[in-house]
Amino acid sequence: MLVFAGLGNPGAKYENNRHNVGFMAADAIARRHSFSPWSRKFQGLICEGTLDGEKILLIKPQTFMNLSGQSVGEALRFYKLEPAALTVFYDEIDLAAGKLRIKIGGGSGGHNGIRSLDQHVGNAYRRVRIGVGHPGVKEMVHGHVLGDFAKADREWLDVLLDAIADHAALLAKGDDSSFMNRVTLALRDKLVPTGDDDRPPPKAPKQQSHVRQARPQQPAAKLPESGPMAAMLKKLFGKD
């Protein structure tokens, strides 16, 4: 068995917050792969299904973000699973909105849900980091992550969540590289750049045709230096 945990805060008040994108990813996977109905266990909401023949327990901790590790840790201990069996989906302010990155282990990066998980289960688990962008200054981070996604964000968010759900079986197989590639391609196919480094390169300047290149350049016409025409031009342009 593997455990997929989506992080967020419970309740309608937080439902569309950037901080709840982990819940959104878990919901997308459950819908796409016809997991069982959600039920309450391990201080969270859980449902079960299979991906690539592997049994998956999906869990959304209901302990609030800062205590996520209590819920997920309880589930891992119940099934006697190591941290390597855990995949966590959560918001990442240090990634541009729409980017997705995967890593195993590492620090919490200031994320309270990840800090709680590290305290309860260790840090040797897979992290699917979903970029929500940074507001620019540290003082605005709290309001940013607890703010709702803007309507314009749905353009990339819906595509990203669909792609995560579509290719979740690759995570169950441990094929993180293929999963990231498939998600990135899905975003590109929908014309949703996932950041400046994922944008298509600028078009090269238009080249002149061979005929135009081969055509000799006509010299500029020489203006008269004396006579009636020269006098008129001098008067017109104010030349002495």
Side-chain angles (χ1 to χ4, degrees), residues 223-224 228-240:
L223 298 176
M229 180 62 74
M232 183 182 73
L233 290 172
K234 287 179 181 180
K235 184 176 181 181
L236 181 62
F237 294 107
K239 296 183 178 180
D240 294 332

Side-chain angles (χ1 to χ4, degrees), residues 15 27 50 68 70 74 92 110 137 160 184 192 226 229 239:
E15 186 176 358
D27 286 335
T50 59
S68 297
Q70 292 182 3
E74 187 177 331
E92 175 60 82
V137 293
L160 179 57
T184 300
V192 184
S226 60
M229 180 62 74
K239 296 183 178 180

Side-chain angles (χ1 to χ4, degrees), residues 16-232:
N16 294 309
N17 285 183
R18 294 179 181 88
H19 222 21
N20 273 39
V21 74
F23 276 8
M24 297 176 193
D27 286 335
I29 293 171
R31 286 193 304 268
R32 183 59 47 85
H33 299 281
S34 301
F35 276 37
S36 66
W38 292 97
S39 61
R40 289 191 173 273
K41 195 173 183 180
F42 309 126
Q43 303 179 63
L45 293 174
I46 66 167
C47 66
E48 297 180 354
T50 59
L51 293 172
D52 194 47
E54 188 78 45
K55 186 176 181 180
I56 306 294
L57 175 78
L58 264 175
I59 183 167
K60 297 190 295 183
Q62 301 295 290
T63 52
F64 285 92
M65 182 68 81
N66 295 4
L67 300 176
S68 297
Q70 292 182 3
S71 173
V72 176
E74 187 177 331
L76 289 181
R77 289 189 295 272
F78 181 86
Y79 290 108
K80 297 179 173 58
L81 297 173
E82 296 296 324
L86 173 64
T87 297
V88 181
F89 301 83
Y90 66 98
D91 58 299
E92 175 60 82
I93 60 171
D94 290 331
L95 287 176
K99 275 187 174 293
L100 182 145
R101 293 292 182 267
I102 299 177
K103 70 175 183 178
I104 296 175
S108 68
H111 193 287
N112 289 332
I114 297 301
R115 182 181 291 116
S116 177
L117 279 163
D118 290 353
Q119 291 171 350
H120 286 269
V121 305
N123 72 346
Y125 55 88
R126 181 196 283 122
R127 302 146 192 248
V128 180
R129 303 154 62 214
I130 302 171
V132 296
H134 196 289
V137 293
K138 184 177 180 181
E139 292 73 18
M140 295 177 64
V141 166
H142 183 77
H144 178 69
V145 297
L146 291 181
D148 287 354
F149 282 107
K151 287 184 178 180
D153 291 328
R154 302 306 307 194
E155 180 182 358
W156 62 263
L157 181 60
D158 290 344
V159 174
L160 179 57
L161 293 174
D162 283 346
I164 289 172
D166 286 343
H167 305 296
L170 292 169
L171 291 175
K173 291 172 61 176
D175 193 347
D176 297 355
S177 179
S178 293
F179 174 80
M180 280 191 54
N181 288 339
R182 296 286 181 86
V183 171
T184 300
L185 286 173
L187 288 162
R188 287 179 175 172
D189 289 346
K190 298 289 185 178
L191 302 178
V192 184
T194 58
D196 289 341
D197 56 339
D198 289 331
R199 293 179 186 274
K203 292 182 179 179
K206 188 176 181 180
Q207 300 293 323
Q208 289 185 336
S209 69
H210 296 301
V211 174
R212 184 178 293 274
Q213 290 176 356
R215 186 181 297 162
Q217 299 295 317
Q218 298 295 326
K222 188 175 181 181
L223 298 176
E225 297 178 358
S226 60
M229 180 62 74
M232 183 182 73

